[in-house]
Amino acid sequence: MSPHSLIALLVAATAALPLVHAASPLNVSFPPTPSKDALWNVVEDNFIGVSYELSSFSTLWGETKSLQPNAMQNYMHNLKVRMANPLRIRIGGNGMDGSIYQSNLTIPIEHIDPDAYFNDIPVHFGPLLFDIMNGMSDKVGDMQFMVGLAMRDPDFSNGVEFGKAARDKLGDRLDVLMLGNEPDLYDGHEHRPGYNISDYIPEVGRFINELTDAGALVEGVPQVGGPTICCAWDLDDVLEAGLLDYPFKYFTVQRYPNHNCGGETDSNTNISAYLSHPNVGEYLGLRSGIGHAKEAGIPLILSEYNSVACGGSKISDTFAMSLWAADVGLKAAAMNYSAIYLHTREQGIKYNLFDPPSPETATESGWRTGSPYYGALFLSEVVAPEGSVIEDLNLNNSNSNTNATVSAFGIYDQRGKKRSKLALFNFARNGTQIFALPSGLSDTLEYRLLAAPSVEERTNITWAGQTVGDNGNLEGEQQTITMNCRNGCVLDIPGPGAALVVLGSQVLWTGNSTIAGIGGYLSGVGSSSPWLGLLAAIVAGISFMLA
């Protein structure tokens, strides 16, 4: 029996056999309708997106349109196939704000400073970048791109040139142009000493005018995003200072609960802090800014998040972060965020969603799947195609009870009109938790588990009984557990773990989402090798037909 078959068997056995319960049963109350506050925010089924650091983008997505890693095609398609709307992709990061677009560059990205600080890597980049983006979307399915424009240099001419090229090359796939990256840190990082909100607001107006004059924007049509702040400025202060006067499509913020910029500490390696649901609400915060955005009718987006800034810490690749990433996503939706983007970077960063075997062998198999990717898989199945409303059910006073080891969310489909799903989390380090559902919810239900042996686990992680192979492919039999719930029922959720519960049946996505064949292109063999390209195309085609 293969290891993946054994995993599937163990997941099925978890549902079928009586277990030793480490915690008292909890009665789950799922109100027939969401609260008025929750109804403010209908999220689309592409609520979860992926954010990429510009400097590593071509390593991960390929150097040419015809030579794109099979693993990345599978990683992206695993998410896209579970959505009706385009998969959200953001390209930017700290290095983007110091990078230069060169229209005559013959490679997608050129590294220009071998001694650059690893958290701020500037590059030159050219129009082949758009070919790579379009090529992946052609292979995987519809995508929509958020593209960062540099604002650190007050001369915006290069950003305007790039913005116009993005509009021309990406067309309808261009979702929004992001103006700058973390301008609240320009002063602290000594890029622009003394820079503050009063400097930022008029520059935004000037940048928008220059983009409009160049044809990158249509006057009066919201096509920009910002302020993309993280740390030193409050969103409410920026909005009140004048940002509301400009035609923004999204307001954006970037949040990390901890950082590793100066090395590992007790704080950034405290795994227990990431298993505490009250900490999630505090981390997402911004309550006054959230309210301000809501009143303005402009979606608020978390354009970059992950566990520990500056590359993560030794806990960033553990199963705790699979649970945390999913809990953050649901809590953000309940707090009026319209979309969230999990951030990933160059090979070797601890919090990455995925890593190639090396930067030079990215087109081959042998990829490592990071634990946050499993959280993204979980979130990709939560929201209905027509949009859903998500409400934190505050189970066991989990919003404020620091001793609570659970959280629970109610998902209302049909844009808030119908109780449809529950997301149940058990953060306990060991022992199952009984979640008791009342009668009258549904005659039957189905659920899938996000599971691992421990919160410290790094590789033996499963979603619906499947784990991700070294080519981005889901391995093992997809497991969905069915129960009769006419007179109420109890769910035993192993700790640590989480369940996505569907009232009724036939709602969760089923099938094989692998589209690119096992293996990849050989290192050192260029796209000029027709037989290799033909073989790869044949294998990919067969995989797609079997999907």
Side-chain angles (χ1 to χ4, degrees), residues 369-500:
T369 301
S371 57
Y373 183 76
Y374 288 91
L377 279 176
F378 182 102
L379 292 171
S380 70
E381 297 201 37
V382 167
V383 179
E386 72 276 8
S388 300
V389 168
I390 298 175
E391 182 145 40
D392 190 326
L393 299 179
N394 194 26
L395 184 65
N396 198 29
N397 295 316
S398 59
N399 284 337
S400 57
N401 179 8
T402 56
N403 294 319
T405 57
V406 299
S407 68
F409 297 87
I411 297 110
Y412 298 81
D413 289 351
Q414 297 179 10
R415 306 185 72 81
K417 296 178 182 177
K418 177 187 176 183
R419 286 184 297 190
S420 177
K421 305 182 190 78
L422 288 161
L424 306 173
F425 289 79
N426 178 9
F427 300 109
R429 287 178 176 268
N430 54 66
T432 63
Q433 174 65 59
I434 302 176
F435 294 88
L437 307 186
S439 61
L441 279 181
S442 179
D443 288 349
T444 62
L445 60 79
E446 296 180 343
Y447 68 98
R448 290 178 174 172
L449 289 174
L450 178 62
S454 71
V455 295
E456 291 87 5
E457 179 62 42
R458 288 174 166 81
T459 58
N460 186 14
I461 302 171
T462 60
W463 165 239
Q466 296 181 307
T467 191
V468 185
D470 68 359
N471 203 46
N473 51 305
L474 289 174
E475 297 180 337
E477 182 180 352
Q478 192 175 61
Q479 297 289 328
T480 304
I481 303 162
T482 303
M483 294 181 64
N484 185 312
C485 203
R486 178 174 298 174
N487 298 314
C489 54
V490 296
L491 279 68
D492 294 313
I493 307 303
L500 181 59

Side-chain angles (χ1 to χ4, degrees), residues 271 306-308 311-322 348-352 355 368-372 374 455-461:
I271 200 168
N306 213 310
S307 57
V308 180
S313 73
K314 64 184 179 182
I315 64 172
S316 294
D317 58 349
T318 65
F319 178 60
M321 300 313 153
S322 306
I349 294 296
K350 287 185 172 67
Y351 65 50
N352 278 350
D355 265 341
R368 179 195 71 88
T369 301
S371 57
Y374 288 91
V455 295
E456 291 87 5
E457 179 62 42
R458 288 174 166 81
T459 58
N460 186 14
I461 302 171

Side-chain angles (χ1 to χ4, degrees), residues 6-309:
L6 180 59
I7 290 170
L9 182 61
L10 289 173
V11 171
T14 298
L17 297 177
L19 299 169
V20 177
H21 303 299
S24 301
L26 292 173
N27 294 320
V28 178
S29 176
F30 190 0
T33 56
S35 66
K36 290 183 179 179
D37 284 345
L39 279 169
W40 271 94
N41 194 37
V42 178
V43 294
E44 305 301 328
D45 70 347
N46 60 347
F47 173 75
I48 175 65
V50 182
S51 167
Y52 291 87
E53 195 79 20
L54 171 64
S55 59
S56 58
F57 189 70
S58 60
T59 298
L60 299 175
W61 277 39
E63 295 288 340
T64 69
K65 182 177 181 178
S66 60
L67 201 62
Q68 298 190 278
N70 289 354
M72 185 55 67
Q73 294 178 45
N74 290 328
Y75 280 122
M76 294 295 93
H77 192 257
N78 292 338
L79 300 175
K80 171 63 192 90
V81 77
R82 289 163 169 80
M83 307 170 182
N85 288 294
L87 176 62
R88 294 177 183 264
I89 302 295
R90 176 239 180 187
I91 302 169
N94 287 333
M96 173 278 299
D97 227 2
S99 295
I100 298 173
Y101 177 71
Q102 294 187 336
S103 60
N104 61 348
L105 193 67
T106 57
I107 58 175
I109 291 176
E110 177 185 39
H111 286 256
I112 57 176
D113 183 0
D115 299 319
Y117 176 48
F118 85 107
N119 284 312
D120 192 355
I121 302 174
V123 298
H124 291 160
F125 59 103
L128 284 180
L129 189 72
F130 303 119
D131 292 342
I132 293 170
M133 295 159 71
N134 281 322
M136 188 65 74
S137 186
D138 289 341
K139 296 174 180 69
V140 168
D142 286 344
M143 294 180 171
Q144 61 183 55
F145 296 101
M146 297 175 70
V147 177
L149 304 184
M151 198 170 170
R152 191 185 295 172
D153 185 338
D155 179 354
F156 300 144
S157 57
N158 189 255
V160 169
E161 182 183 6
F162 177 48
K164 180 61 166 64
R167 177 68 57 194
D168 293 342
K169 297 287 188 177
L170 296 176
D172 291 341
R173 287 172 173 163
L174 180 61
D175 183 24
V176 70
L177 298 171
M178 304 279 286
L179 304 186
N181 185 80
E182 298 176 356
D184 52 329
L185 296 184
Y186 288 174
D187 176 33
H189 288 171
E190 299 182 353
H191 295 306
R192 300 183 65 182
Y195 193 81
N196 56 37
I197 295 175
S198 62
D199 298 312
Y200 169 74
I201 295 297
E203 287 193 349
V204 167
R206 177 163 62 86
F207 205 169
I208 290 175
N209 288 338
E210 291 181 20
L211 287 165
T212 303
D213 291 343
L217 300 176
V218 177
E219 187 170 1
V221 178
Q223 296 170 307
V224 296
T228 319
I229 54 176
C230 70
C231 314
W233 297 349
D234 184 82
L235 177 61
D236 205 39
D237 291 340
V238 181
L239 297 183
E240 289 184 351
L243 205 67
L244 288 168
D245 297 334
Y246 299 119
F248 273 74
K249 184 175 182 178
Y250 305 126
F251 292 139
T252 55
V253 294
Q254 303 186 163
R255 307 282 286 180
Y256 289 79
N258 261 301
H259 69 82
N260 187 24
C261 304
E264 293 192 343
T265 64
D266 290 343
S267 176
N268 64 35
T269 58
N270 180 8
I271 200 168
S272 296
Y274 290 85
L275 301 172
S276 173
H277 185 62
N279 288 345
V280 171
E282 182 178 351
Y283 149 67
L284 289 168
L286 305 176
R287 292 195 178 277
S288 59
I290 290 173
H292 219 139
K294 183 189 298 183
E295 291 170 4
I298 297 176
L300 176 64
I301 285 180
L302 187 62
S303 53
E304 178 179 324
Y305 87 103
N306 213 310
S307 57
V308 180

